[in-house]
Amino acid sequence: AIAFSLVSMWVTHLSGRRLVPINNDRFRYEADFRYGLVRFRDHIEQVALELGTVYANYGLAQGERRVFDALAQKEASSFFAAMGFYLAAMIGFVFVATYRIYARQALEIRWRRGLTGDYLERWISGRAFCQAHLHPGAIDNPDQRISEDVRDFVASALGLSLSLLAAIPTLISFGGLVWTLSSGWLIPV
């Protein structure tokens, strides 16, 4: 019985040793996926604010159109109604744009803090700082350089990605606006 237990334990150990990395990879993949979903949920507010700014710009354009149409028709009642709509759209735009800037800066700070901490941890934990003694004068203030590089990277990556996110719906919405406004034009071919 003892020999059977030892043999079965040894066979289980040999076969299980190859399965452990596979199991670890599966759990790591699932954990990374869940973490990605949580991070997406953290950033969805910024996406909504960017799209809200596009919608507010569209509302301002519609308000301006109503005001100028009322002026062209010389109708006081429709002019004041259009001005009310335009002022409401403008106030909404100011609030959304202000909060969007605040949320973007808060996101940038969170991202910079995490990324800087990660890079500084890599710098310190791998004893990479010892390389500075081998090359004196080649690296000056590495922690400050890491912080500045992370700041520049985060600012440009966040700015470019959110600008692209806002530019595509802006193109679509204002393209549709121009299309509807020019639907009555006859273009000679």
Side-chain angles (χ1 to χ4, degrees):
I2 293 176
F4 177 74
S5 296
L6 290 174
V7 168
S8 62
M9 189 169 61
W10 181 70
V11 168
T12 303
H13 174 72
L14 288 179
S15 63
R17 186 172 26 171
R18 283 181 258 142
L19 296 177
V20 168
I22 295 171
N23 201 22
N24 284 343
D25 289 342
R26 184 179 65 101
F27 284 138
R28 186 177 303 116
Y29 174 76
E30 289 176 5
D32 288 345
F33 181 72
R34 284 191 301 269
Y35 180 74
L37 288 177
V38 168
R39 298 310 302 171
F40 178 74
R41 221 176 77 209
D42 288 346
H43 304 316
I44 196 70
E45 174 187 29
Q46 191 63 40
V47 171
L49 287 171
E50 290 293 331
L51 296 177
T53 303
V54 170
Y55 183 72
N57 278 326
Y58 184 78
L60 284 175
Q62 289 290 345
E64 289 174 1
R65 182 183 60 82
R66 288 181 182 181
V67 167
F68 286 120
D69 285 348
L71 281 174
Q73 295 169 357
K74 297 180 183 178
E75 294 180 9
S77 62
S78 61
F79 172 76
F80 289 119
M83 282 301 293
F85 177 80
Y86 183 71
L87 287 175
M90 190 182 321
I91 290 170
F93 176 76
V94 166
F95 283 123
V96 169
T98 304
Y99 189 67
R100 178 184 63 93
I101 291 169
Y102 167 77
R104 180 184 277 197
Q105 289 175 347
L107 175 62
E108 185 175 338
I109 289 171
R110 282 195 319 263
W111 195 9
R112 279 176 49 191
R113 184 180 298 141
L115 205 54
T116 302
D118 182 52
Y119 277 111
L120 286 177
E121 180 66 29
R122 288 182 190 187
W123 172 255
I124 292 172
S125 67
R127 302 189 60 81
F129 59 88
C130 294
Q131 294 292 323
H133 296 294
L134 297 175
H135 308 286
I139 300 174
D140 187 31
N141 269 348
D143 53 344
Q144 182 180 1
R145 292 189 59 196
I146 288 172
S147 177
E148 289 174 359
D149 288 347
V150 165
R151 180 195 66 211
D152 293 342
F153 169 74
V154 168
S156 62
L158 192 62
L160 287 173
S161 62
L162 291 177
S163 295
L164 177 67
L165 176 73
I168 292 171
T170 300
L171 176 68
I172 292 169
S173 63
F174 281 96
L177 180 66
V178 169
W179 184 269
T180 58
L181 290 177
S182 64
S183 64
W185 292 0
L186 295 175
I187 300 175
V189 180

